[in-house]
Amino acid sequence: MTLRILITGGAGFIGANLARFLVARDHRVTVLDNFRTGRRGNLEGLAVSLLERDVRESIPGDYDWIFHLACPASPPHYQADGLFTLTTAFDGTRQVLEVAQRCGARVLIASTSEVYGDPQVHPQPEGYWGHVNPLGIRSCYDEGKRAAETLALEYRRKFGVDVRLVRIFNTYGPWMDPQDGRVISNFILQALHNEPLTLYGRGEQTRSCQFIEDLLRAFVRYLQVDRTQLEAFFAPRGLIVPVLNLGNPEEYTIADIARAVLALLPESRSTFAFKPLPADDPKRRKPDIAWASELLGWQPRVSLTEGLAKTIAYFRGTL
Ligand code: NAD
Ligand code: UDP
């Protein structure tokens, strides 16, 4: 069945991949974006309708499904204007929940592993409340996303909006902005240009890296789940709003990731350069994906080496 689908932030990394995935399956896709961190080129040749506007303003149109992704996601971008990030997270999510309420749409809201902060529980299950510094340079994003989750809860309680939260763990792949400062895009670009790979701190902090295709499969399966089935799954777990971690539980140090990139580019003459560790940089991160596996029958399939190879091929094509 052809669905009317809105993707906010559809010109960004995840959104542009999702738009391609949905258009290829014959859905009618509308992208809302103000191109703050997204790129027009990401939508080139794609059969989507474009609403060029800020997600903090009221949203026109009628939709069956909404994917709400609009928000800067890379630390240098979201910290560059923290008020923009915080208001986008709160006011933008509110506008999305309003349109979902008006249309009776199912809405998936992109939250983040950052809601767990610098976690003291490892790996992180959805039931963990997190360890976030509310007054740090990451808090515009972390607290913004936490407030967005609370908005989802209140729209569910007060208006019955069919909202589903995802806490996305570090995801990478084609259509990433090579300049947006995230670790995998930085390392690949540096290696392709024979520049030193910039490891922050001693490169001992960990992340789990999910390839974009794995995330998209889970997104769509999650929205396909019937509402009563969702309630039956989450109510006994003490949750009013469905929330799932989506990430690849394979955990790597940042130095491991740097070595994996160089192993795929043996011709590169890059070395390592150690830079100061940014404030509040989480030391460890790894999703517990038991709920997503059980509810969606989903597991990430793409290994780090395979995903990096596909991402390198994409970046090579953009040089
Ligand atoms: P991105 O920066 O590539 O894309 C974000 C998109 O939102 C861009 O196209 C940008 O122009 C748009 N946008 C930002 N503020 C806007 C506003 N006020 N109005 C309209 N459009 C706006 O980031 P991404 O990696 O594609 O992330 C998408 C979503 O997923 C974000 O909500 C992010 O928090 C979440 N997320 C991503 C990751 C990841 O690893 N990529 C991890 C956790 C959560
Ligand atoms: N990082 C790094 N070198 C870089 C960019 C990032 O060592 O050039 C580190 C960063 O300090 C963090 C991890 O890689 O520990 C992931 O950073 P990213 O910005 O991709 O996402 P985060 O998980 O911090 O939101």
Side-chain angles (χ1 to χ4, degrees):
M1 189 176 70
T2 299
L3 297 173
R4 300 162 303 168
I5 300 179
L6 173 68
I7 307 175
T8 75
F13 156 55
I14 295 177
N17 280 284
L18 179 63
R20 279 181 172 68
F21 186 93
L22 295 171
V23 166
R25 284 155 185 79
D26 290 331
H27 295 297
R28 270 174 45 203
V29 176
T30 301
V31 162
L32 181 153
D33 208 294
N34 66 353
F35 299 102
R36 176 82 175 202
T37 57
R39 298 177 295 166
R40 285 176 203 280
N42 280 0
L43 300 175
E44 230 169 64
L46 248 187
V48 296
S49 309
L50 177 63
L51 288 174
E52 185 170 348
R53 56 200 288 139
D54 196 299
V55 72
R56 293 171 294 182
E57 294 158 14
S58 66
I59 302 170
D62 285 306
Y63 310 98
D64 302 302
W65 284 5
I66 302 172
F67 293 90
H68 174 42
L69 308 175
C71 185
S74 152
H77 280 313
Y78 71 64
Q79 288 165 21
D81 185 346
L83 261 186
F84 175 87
T85 304
L86 190 60
T87 55
T88 292
F90 189 83
D91 297 331
T93 301
R94 185 159 196 177
Q95 290 298 342
V96 166
L97 288 163
E98 288 284 330
V99 72
Q101 182 195 349
R102 174 169 59 72
C103 311
R106 279 186 188 171
V107 54
L108 177 148
I109 291 186
S111 183
T112 168
S113 53
E114 294 284 334
V115 300
Y116 301 122
D118 190 9
Q120 293 172 314
V121 169
H122 194 79
Q124 295 82 54
E126 289 86 346
Y128 176 47
W129 292 354
H131 182 231
V132 171
N133 174 2
L135 293 175
I137 54 163
R138 299 174 80 98
S139 55
C140 57
Y141 184 71
D142 302 6
E143 297 289 14
K145 291 287 186 175
R146 288 168 69 97
E149 290 199 5
T150 310
L151 265 178
L153 169 70
E154 296 307 336
Y155 269 74
R156 172 79 169 212
R157 290 179 64 217
K158 190 159 181 175
F159 305 114
V161 172
D162 186 352
V163 53
R164 301 153 188 223
L165 294 166
V166 282
R167 294 185 181 146
I168 305 168
F169 285 64
N170 298 62
T171 303
Y172 68 98
W175 305 103
M176 286 183 96
D177 178 352
Q179 308 301 336
D180 89 358
R182 283 184 265 196
V183 67
I184 288 185
S185 44
N186 276 6
F187 285 174
I188 293 177
L189 230 72
Q190 289 160 344
L192 288 172
H193 289 126
N194 299 305
E195 291 164 0
L197 272 53
T198 50
L199 275 72
Y200 300 164
R202 297 171 62 191
E204 289 170 348
Q205 67 274 34
T206 70
R207 292 293 185 274
S208 359
C209 305
Q210 164 173 244
F211 189 63
I212 183 72
E213 284 169 12
D214 284 327
L215 179 72
L216 299 185
R217 276 191 300 116
F219 268 18
V220 170
R221 231 178 265 186
Y222 193 14
L223 280 200
Q224 283 168 339
V225 178
D226 183 70
R227 187 172 181 164
T228 45
Q229 192 189 336
L230 269 188
E231 276 164 7
F233 185 87
F234 284 100
R237 290 167 172 83
L239 283 159
I240 298 170
V241 174
V243 58
L244 291 179
N245 286 336
L246 294 178
N248 189 324
E250 280 180 17
E251 185 183 6
Y252 296 93
T253 66
I254 296 305
D256 289 336
I257 297 170
R259 282 189 287 269
V261 169
L262 290 183
L264 289 165
L265 290 168
E267 71 283 12
S268 173
R269 296 189 301 282
S270 292
T271 53
F272 290 175
F274 292 91
K275 304 271 178 193
L277 187 68
D280 294 335
D281 199 279
K283 285 181 263 320
R284 300 186 76 186
R285 200 183 276 155
K286 169 179 163 134
D288 178 331
I289 57 164
W291 285 5
S293 304
E294 192 180 333
L295 181 70
L296 309 179
W298 169 87
Q299 292 281 344
R301 293 178 187 150
V302 183
S303 69
L304 182 65
T305 308
E306 199 186 331
L308 285 178
K310 290 185 180 182
T311 311
I312 289 171
Y314 168 78
F315 278 121
R316 267 193 207 284
T318 65
L319 293 181

PDB file of all heavy atoms in Angstrom, residues 74-76 170 172 176 180-190 197-200 205 207 209 253-255 257-258 261 308:
ATOM      1  N   SER A  74      25.628  16.179  14.771  1.00  0.00           N
ATOM      2  CA  SER A  74      27.067  16.060  14.994  1.00  0.00           C
ATOM      3  C   SER A  74      27.487  17.044  16.088  1.00  0.00           C
ATOM      4  O   SER A  74      27.046  18.209  16.069  1.00  0.00           O
ATOM      5  CB  SER A  74      27.766  16.378  13.677  1.00  0.00           C
ATOM      6  OG  SER A  74      29.033  16.904  13.915  1.00  0.00           O
ATOM      7  N   PRO A  75      28.327  16.617  17.043  1.00  0.00           N
ATOM      8  CA  PRO A  75      28.666  17.522  18.157  1.00  0.00           C
ATOM      9  C   PRO A  75      29.117  18.924  17.712  1.00  0.00           C
ATOM     10  O   PRO A  75      28.608  19.914  18.257  1.00  0.00           O
ATOM     11  CB  PRO A  75      29.739  16.742  18.934  1.00  0.00           C
ATOM     12  CG  PRO A  75      29.376  15.304  18.687  1.00  0.00           C
ATOM     13  CD  PRO A  75      28.873  15.253  17.273  1.00  0.00           C
ATOM     14  N   PRO A  76      30.024  19.088  16.743  1.00  0.00           N
ATOM     15  CA  PRO A  76      30.400  20.470  16.384  1.00  0.00           C
ATOM     16  C   PRO A  76      29.203  21.283  15.895  1.00  0.00           C
ATOM     17  O   PRO A  76      29.080  22.474  16.208  1.00  0.00           O
ATOM     18  CB  PRO A  76      31.420  20.288  15.241  1.00  0.00           C
ATOM     19  CG  PRO A  76      31.882  18.881  15.343  1.00  0.00           C
ATOM     20  CD  PRO A  76      30.792  18.095  15.987  1.00  0.00           C
ATOM     21  N   ASN A 170      25.344   5.534  17.505  1.00  0.00           N
ATOM     22  CA  ASN A 170      26.165   6.037  16.382  1.00  0.00           C
ATOM     23  C   ASN A 170      25.943   5.246  15.091  1.00  0.00           C
ATOM     24  O   ASN A 170      26.195   4.038  15.055  1.00  0.00           O
ATOM     25  CB  ASN A 170      27.655   5.979  16.733  1.00  0.00           C
ATOM     26  CG  ASN A 170      27.990   6.852  17.927  1.00  0.00           C
ATOM     27  OD1 ASN A 170      27.490   6.615  19.019  1.00  0.00           O
ATOM     28  ND2 ASN A 170      28.809   7.863  17.720  1.00  0.00           N
ATOM     29  N   TYR A 172      26.343   5.318  10.688  1.00  0.00           N
ATOM     30  CA  TYR A 172      27.190   5.897   9.641  1.00  0.00           C
ATOM     31  C   TYR A 172      26.828   5.266   8.301  1.00  0.00           C
ATOM     32  O   TYR A 172      26.141   4.232   8.258  1.00  0.00           O
ATOM     33  CB  TYR A 172      28.684   5.644   9.963  1.00  0.00           C
ATOM     34  CG  TYR A 172      29.049   4.188   9.863  1.00  0.00           C
ATOM     35  CD1 TYR A 172      29.654   3.673   8.716  1.00  0.00           C
ATOM     36  CD2 TYR A 172      28.730   3.289  10.891  1.00  0.00           C
ATOM     37  CE1 TYR A 172      29.942   2.325   8.598  1.00  0.00           C
ATOM     38  CE2 TYR A 172      29.009   1.946  10.775  1.00  0.00           C
ATOM     39  CZ  TYR A 172      29.617   1.464   9.631  1.00  0.00           C
ATOM     40  OH  TYR A 172      29.887   0.126   9.515  1.00  0.00           O
ATOM     41  N   MET A 176      26.509  10.736   4.374  1.00  0.00           N
ATOM     42  CA  MET A 176      26.965  11.566   5.502  1.00  0.00           C
ATOM     43  C   MET A 176      27.645  12.785   4.924  1.00  0.00           C
ATOM     44  O   MET A 176      28.294  12.709   3.868  1.00  0.00           O
ATOM     45  CB  MET A 176      28.020  10.829   6.337  1.00  0.00           C
ATOM     46  CG  MET A 176      27.492   9.740   7.187  1.00  0.00           C
ATOM     47  SD  MET A 176      28.826   9.027   8.185  1.00  0.00           S
ATOM     48  CE  MET A 176      28.587   9.942   9.678  1.00  0.00           C
ATOM     49  N   ASP A 180      31.002  17.125   8.542  1.00  0.00           N
ATOM     50  CA  ASP A 180      30.238  17.435   9.765  1.00  0.00           C
ATOM     51  C   ASP A 180      30.921  17.007  11.056  1.00  0.00           C
ATOM     52  O   ASP A 180      30.391  17.206  12.148  1.00  0.00           O
ATOM     53  CB  ASP A 180      28.765  17.037   9.653  1.00  0.00           C
ATOM     54  CG  ASP A 180      28.478  15.623  10.079  1.00  0.00           C
ATOM     55  OD1 ASP A 180      29.414  14.889  10.434  1.00  0.00           O
ATOM     56  OD2 ASP A 180      27.295  15.250  10.052  1.00  0.00           O
ATOM     57  N   GLY A 181      32.105  16.437  10.949  1.00  0.00           N
ATOM     58  CA  GLY A 181      32.954  16.285  12.134  1.00  0.00           C
ATOM     59  C   GLY A 181      32.756  15.004  12.919  1.00  0.00           C
ATOM     60  O   GLY A 181      33.350  14.837  13.979  1.00  0.00           O
ATOM     61  N   ARG A 182      31.917  14.078  12.416  1.00  0.00           N
ATOM     62  CA  ARG A 182      31.744  12.838  13.170  1.00  0.00           C
ATOM     63  C   ARG A 182      32.918  11.896  12.912  1.00  0.00           C
ATOM     64  O   ARG A 182      33.625  12.009  11.914  1.00  0.00           O
ATOM     65  CB  ARG A 182      30.408  12.197  12.813  1.00  0.00           C
ATOM     66  CG  ARG A 182      29.299  12.940  13.526  1.00  0.00           C
ATOM     67  CD  ARG A 182      27.949  12.339  13.321  1.00  0.00           C
ATOM     68  NE  ARG A 182      27.240  12.975  12.240  1.00  0.00           N
ATOM     69  CZ  ARG A 182      25.943  12.852  12.031  1.00  0.00           C
ATOM     70  NH1 ARG A 182      25.213  12.123  12.839  1.00  0.00           N
ATOM     71  NH2 ARG A 182      25.361  13.452  11.021  1.00  0.00           N
ATOM     72  N   VAL A 183      33.090  10.953  13.812  1.00  0.00           N
ATOM     73  CA  VAL A 183      34.353  10.221  13.826  1.00  0.00           C
ATOM     74  C   VAL A 183      34.591   9.431  12.539  1.00  0.00           C
ATOM     75  O   VAL A 183      35.697   9.475  11.976  1.00  0.00           O
ATOM     76  CB  VAL A 183      34.457   9.331  15.101  1.00  0.00           C
ATOM     77  CG1 VAL A 183      33.451   8.194  15.115  1.00  0.00           C
ATOM     78  CG2 VAL A 183      35.851   8.800  15.235  1.00  0.00           C
ATOM     79  N   ILE A 184      33.599   8.716  12.050  1.00  0.00           N
ATOM     80  CA  ILE A 184      33.869   7.852  10.894  1.00  0.00           C
ATOM     81  C   ILE A 184      34.108   8.666   9.634  1.00  0.00           C
ATOM     82  O   ILE A 184      35.041   8.393   8.869  1.00  0.00           O
ATOM     83  CB  ILE A 184      32.745   6.800  10.734  1.00  0.00           C
ATOM     84  CG1 ILE A 184      32.922   5.781  11.882  1.00  0.00           C
ATOM     85  CG2 ILE A 184      32.779   6.134   9.360  1.00  0.00           C
ATOM     86  CD1 ILE A 184      32.026   4.590  11.871  1.00  0.00           C
ATOM     87  N   SER A 185      33.296   9.712   9.430  1.00  0.00           N
ATOM     88  CA  SER A 185      33.530  10.540   8.240  1.00  0.00           C
ATOM     89  C   SER A 185      34.889  11.237   8.341  1.00  0.00           C
ATOM     90  O   SER A 185      35.640  11.318   7.359  1.00  0.00           O
ATOM     91  CB  SER A 185      32.389  11.530   8.020  1.00  0.00           C
ATOM     92  OG  SER A 185      32.009  12.138   9.235  1.00  0.00           O
ATOM     93  N   ASN A 186      35.244  11.728   9.533  1.00  0.00           N
ATOM     94  CA  ASN A 186      36.570  12.346   9.690  1.00  0.00           C
ATOM     95  C   ASN A 186      37.674  11.368   9.317  1.00  0.00           C
ATOM     96  O   ASN A 186      38.564  11.692   8.518  1.00  0.00           O
ATOM     97  CB  ASN A 186      36.796  12.786  11.146  1.00  0.00           C
ATOM     98  CG  ASN A 186      36.203  14.152  11.435  1.00  0.00           C
ATOM     99  OD1 ASN A 186      35.538  14.735  10.599  1.00  0.00           O
ATOM    100  ND2 ASN A 186      36.448  14.659  12.626  1.00  0.00           N
ATOM    101  N   PHE A 187      37.626  10.161   9.898  1.00  0.00           N
ATOM    102  CA  PHE A 187      38.719   9.200   9.674  1.00  0.00           C
ATOM    103  C   PHE A 187      38.830   8.821   8.195  1.00  0.00           C
ATOM    104  O   PHE A 187      39.926   8.743   7.638  1.00  0.00           O
ATOM    105  CB  PHE A 187      38.516   7.936  10.520  1.00  0.00           C
ATOM    106  CG  PHE A 187      38.821   8.111  11.990  1.00  0.00           C
ATOM    107  CD1 PHE A 187      38.570   7.079  12.893  1.00  0.00           C
ATOM    108  CD2 PHE A 187      39.375   9.285  12.486  1.00  0.00           C
ATOM    109  CE1 PHE A 187      38.850   7.223  14.250  1.00  0.00           C
ATOM    110  CE2 PHE A 187      39.654   9.453  13.853  1.00  0.00           C
ATOM    111  CZ  PHE A 187      39.388   8.411  14.730  1.00  0.00           C
ATOM    112  N   ILE A 188      37.695   8.574   7.559  1.00  0.00           N
ATOM    113  CA  ILE A 188      37.753   8.156   6.145  1.00  0.00           C
ATOM    114  C   ILE A 188      38.335   9.283   5.298  1.00  0.00           C
ATOM    115  O   ILE A 188      39.229   9.065   4.470  1.00  0.00           O
ATOM    116  CB  ILE A 188      36.355   7.740   5.633  1.00  0.00           C
ATOM    117  CG1 ILE A 188      35.899   6.466   6.344  1.00  0.00           C
ATOM    118  CG2 ILE A 188      36.370   7.538   4.115  1.00  0.00           C
ATOM    119  CD1 ILE A 188      34.501   5.999   5.975  1.00  0.00           C
ATOM    120  N   LEU A 189      37.840  10.480   5.527  1.00  0.00           N
ATOM    121  CA  LEU A 189      38.336  11.603   4.726  1.00  0.00           C
ATOM    122  C   LEU A 189      39.824  11.851   4.967  1.00  0.00           C
ATOM    123  O   LEU A 189      40.587  12.074   4.022  1.00  0.00           O
ATOM    124  CB  LEU A 189      37.533  12.854   5.077  1.00  0.00           C
ATOM    125  CG  LEU A 189      37.023  13.548   3.852  1.00  0.00           C
ATOM    126  CD1 LEU A 189      35.914  12.750   3.219  1.00  0.00           C
ATOM    127  CD2 LEU A 189      36.540  14.936   4.204  1.00  0.00           C
ATOM    128  N   GLN A 190      40.214  11.803   6.227  1.00  0.00           N
ATOM    129  CA  GLN A 190      41.629  12.012   6.556  1.00  0.00           C
ATOM    130  C   GLN A 190      42.486  10.934   5.885  1.00  0.00           C
ATOM    131  O   GLN A 190      43.526  11.231   5.290  1.00  0.00           O
ATOM    132  CB  GLN A 190      41.815  12.000   8.086  1.00  0.00           C
ATOM    133  CG  GLN A 190      41.223  13.242   8.740  1.00  0.00           C
ATOM    134  CD  GLN A 190      40.941  13.086  10.234  1.00  0.00           C
ATOM    135  OE1 GLN A 190      40.907  11.978  10.775  1.00  0.00           O
ATOM    136  NE2 GLN A 190      40.720  14.211  10.911  1.00  0.00           N
ATOM    137  N   LEU A 197      44.968  10.821  11.214  1.00  0.00           N
ATOM    138  CA  LEU A 197      43.636  10.576  11.780  1.00  0.00           C
ATOM    139  C   LEU A 197      43.606  11.194  13.176  1.00  0.00           C
ATOM    140  O   LEU A 197      44.480  10.894  14.007  1.00  0.00           O
ATOM    141  CB  LEU A 197      43.359   9.067  11.866  1.00  0.00           C
ATOM    142  CG  LEU A 197      42.734   8.412  10.628  1.00  0.00           C
ATOM    143  CD1 LEU A 197      43.517   8.703   9.359  1.00  0.00           C
ATOM    144  CD2 LEU A 197      42.580   6.915  10.824  1.00  0.00           C
ATOM    145  N   THR A 198      42.608  12.053  13.422  1.00  0.00           N
ATOM    146  CA  THR A 198      42.556  12.789  14.701  1.00  0.00           C
ATOM    147  C   THR A 198      41.848  11.964  15.766  1.00  0.00           C
ATOM    148  O   THR A 198      40.625  11.825  15.750  1.00  0.00           O
ATOM    149  CB  THR A 198      41.803  14.122  14.497  1.00  0.00           C
ATOM    150  OG1 THR A 198      40.563  13.830  13.829  1.00  0.00           O
ATOM    151  CG2 THR A 198      42.617  15.094  13.658  1.00  0.00           C
ATOM    152  N   LEU A 199      42.617  11.406  16.684  1.00  0.00           N
ATOM    153  CA  LEU A 199      42.025  10.645  17.789  1.00  0.00           C
ATOM    154  C   LEU A 199      41.920  11.566  18.993  1.00  0.00           C
ATOM    155  O   LEU A 199      42.931  12.131  19.427  1.00  0.00           O
ATOM    156  CB  LEU A 199      42.912   9.450  18.162  1.00  0.00           C
ATOM    157  CG  LEU A 199      42.701   8.178  17.345  1.00  0.00           C
ATOM    158  CD1 LEU A 199      43.253   8.337  15.946  1.00  0.00           C
ATOM    159  CD2 LEU A 199      43.362   6.996  18.033  1.00  0.00           C
ATOM    160  N   TYR A 200      40.711  11.735  19.520  1.00  0.00           N
ATOM    161  CA  TYR A 200      40.511  12.608  20.671  1.00  0.00           C
ATOM    162  C   TYR A 200      40.805  11.794  21.937  1.00  0.00           C
ATOM    163  O   TYR A 200      40.378  10.637  22.063  1.00  0.00           O
ATOM    164  CB  TYR A 200      39.089  13.167  20.710  1.00  0.00           C
ATOM    165  CG  TYR A 200      38.715  13.983  19.477  1.00  0.00           C
ATOM    166  CD1 TYR A 200      37.395  14.272  19.187  1.00  0.00           C
ATOM    167  CD2 TYR A 200      39.706  14.478  18.602  1.00  0.00           C
ATOM    168  CE1 TYR A 200      37.043  15.019  18.060  1.00  0.00           C
ATOM    169  CE2 TYR A 200      39.360  15.219  17.475  1.00  0.00           C
ATOM    170  CZ  TYR A 200      38.035  15.475  17.211  1.00  0.00           C
ATOM    171  OH  TYR A 200      37.690  16.199  16.098  1.00  0.00           O
ATOM    172  N   GLN A 205      38.110   5.594  24.358  1.00  0.00           N
ATOM    173  CA  GLN A 205      36.659   5.596  24.563  1.00  0.00           C
ATOM    174  C   GLN A 205      36.024   4.679  23.513  1.00  0.00           C
ATOM    175  O   GLN A 205      36.593   4.479  22.442  1.00  0.00           O
ATOM    176  CB  GLN A 205      36.085   7.027  24.498  1.00  0.00           C
ATOM    177  CG  GLN A 205      36.140   7.731  23.162  1.00  0.00           C
ATOM    178  CD  GLN A 205      37.457   8.448  22.903  1.00  0.00           C
ATOM    179  OE1 GLN A 205      38.503   7.992  23.320  1.00  0.00           O
ATOM    180  NE2 GLN A 205      37.413   9.564  22.167  1.00  0.00           N
ATOM    181  N   ARG A 207      32.632   3.204  21.145  1.00  0.00           N
ATOM    182  CA  ARG A 207      31.339   3.447  20.512  1.00  0.00           C
ATOM    183  C   ARG A 207      30.945   2.154  19.809  1.00  0.00           C
ATOM    184  O   ARG A 207      31.788   1.328  19.484  1.00  0.00           O
ATOM    185  CB  ARG A 207      31.418   4.565  19.451  1.00  0.00           C
ATOM    186  CG  ARG A 207      31.689   5.964  19.993  1.00  0.00           C
ATOM    187  CD  ARG A 207      30.534   6.507  20.821  1.00  0.00           C
ATOM    188  NE  ARG A 207      30.742   7.889  21.242  1.00  0.00           N
ATOM    189  CZ  ARG A 207      31.395   8.263  22.333  1.00  0.00           C
ATOM    190  NH1 ARG A 207      31.913   7.358  23.147  1.00  0.00           N
ATOM    191  NH2 ARG A 207      31.513   9.554  22.637  1.00  0.00           N
ATOM    192  N   CYS A 209      29.051   1.051  16.332  1.00  0.00           N
ATOM    193  CA  CYS A 209      28.766   1.740  15.071  1.00  0.00           C
ATOM    194  C   CYS A 209      27.810   0.916  14.232  1.00  0.00           C
ATOM    195  O   CYS A 209      28.095  -0.239  13.900  1.00  0.00           O
ATOM    196  CB  CYS A 209      30.058   1.958  14.295  1.00  0.00           C
ATOM    197  SG  CYS A 209      31.281   2.823  15.269  1.00  0.00           S
ATOM    198  N   THR A 253      36.874   0.493  20.401  1.00  0.00           N
ATOM    199  CA  THR A 253      37.490   1.746  20.833  1.00  0.00           C
ATOM    200  C   THR A 253      37.634   2.621  19.581  1.00  0.00           C
ATOM    201  O   THR A 253      37.621   2.119  18.444  1.00  0.00           O
ATOM    202  CB  THR A 253      38.883   1.533  21.459  1.00  0.00           C
ATOM    203  OG1 THR A 253      39.766   1.065  20.433  1.00  0.00           O
ATOM    204  CG2 THR A 253      38.836   0.559  22.623  1.00  0.00           C
ATOM    205  N   ILE A 254      37.828   3.908  19.827  1.00  0.00           N
ATOM    206  CA  ILE A 254      38.017   4.824  18.703  1.00  0.00           C
ATOM    207  C   ILE A 254      39.310   4.463  17.951  1.00  0.00           C
ATOM    208  O   ILE A 254      39.358   4.518  16.717  1.00  0.00           O
ATOM    209  CB  ILE A 254      38.028   6.279  19.226  1.00  0.00           C
ATOM    210  CG1 ILE A 254      36.656   6.622  19.834  1.00  0.00           C
ATOM    211  CG2 ILE A 254      38.410   7.274  18.133  1.00  0.00           C
ATOM    212  CD1 ILE A 254      35.457   6.413  18.934  1.00  0.00           C
ATOM    213  N   ALA A 255      40.316   4.016  18.685  1.00  0.00           N
ATOM    214  CA  ALA A 255      41.556   3.585  18.025  1.00  0.00           C
ATOM    215  C   ALA A 255      41.303   2.348  17.151  1.00  0.00           C
ATOM    216  O   ALA A 255      41.861   2.237  16.049  1.00  0.00           O
ATOM    217  CB  ALA A 255      42.635   3.298  19.068  1.00  0.00           C
ATOM    218  N   ILE A 257      38.577   1.736  15.555  1.00  0.00           N
ATOM    219  CA  ILE A 257      37.884   2.223  14.346  1.00  0.00           C
ATOM    220  C   ILE A 257      38.911   2.841  13.398  1.00  0.00           C
ATOM    221  O   ILE A 257      38.876   2.602  12.182  1.00  0.00           O
ATOM    222  CB  ILE A 257      36.769   3.228  14.720  1.00  0.00           C
ATOM    223  CG1 ILE A 257      35.706   2.531  15.581  1.00  0.00           C
ATOM    224  CG2 ILE A 257      36.134   3.844  13.469  1.00  0.00           C
ATOM    225  CD1 ILE A 257      34.675   3.465  16.203  1.00  0.00           C
ATOM    226  N   ALA A 258      39.854   3.593  13.966  1.00  0.00           N
ATOM    227  CA  ALA A 258      40.897   4.206  13.126  1.00  0.00           C
ATOM    228  C   ALA A 258      41.701   3.112  12.415  1.00  0.00           C
ATOM    229  O   ALA A 258      41.960   3.201  11.200  1.00  0.00           O
ATOM    230  CB  ALA A 258      41.813   5.067  13.998  1.00  0.00           C
ATOM    231  N   VAL A 261      39.692   1.555   9.549  1.00  0.00           N
ATOM    232  CA  VAL A 261      39.645   2.403   8.346  1.00  0.00           C
ATOM    233  C   VAL A 261      40.972   2.255   7.572  1.00  0.00           C
ATOM    234  O   VAL A 261      40.977   2.031   6.353  1.00  0.00           O
ATOM    235  CB  VAL A 261      39.397   3.884   8.720  1.00  0.00           C
ATOM    236  CG1 VAL A 261      39.617   4.808   7.526  1.00  0.00           C
ATOM    237  CG2 VAL A 261      37.974   4.054   9.273  1.00  0.00           C
ATOM    238  N   LEU A 308      32.138  -0.025   6.649  1.00  0.00           N
ATOM    239  CA  LEU A 308      33.185   0.967   6.342  1.00  0.00           C
ATOM    240  C   LEU A 308      33.559   0.908   4.860  1.00  0.00           C
ATOM    241  O   LEU A 308      33.750   1.943   4.218  1.00  0.00           O
ATOM    242  CB  LEU A 308      34.440   0.708   7.189  1.00  0.00           C
ATOM    243  CG  LEU A 308      34.370   1.116   8.662  1.00  0.00           C
ATOM    244  CD1 LEU A 308      35.680   0.750   9.376  1.00  0.00           C
ATOM    245  CD2 LEU A 308      34.093   2.612   8.823  1.00  0.00           C
TER     246      LEU A 308
END
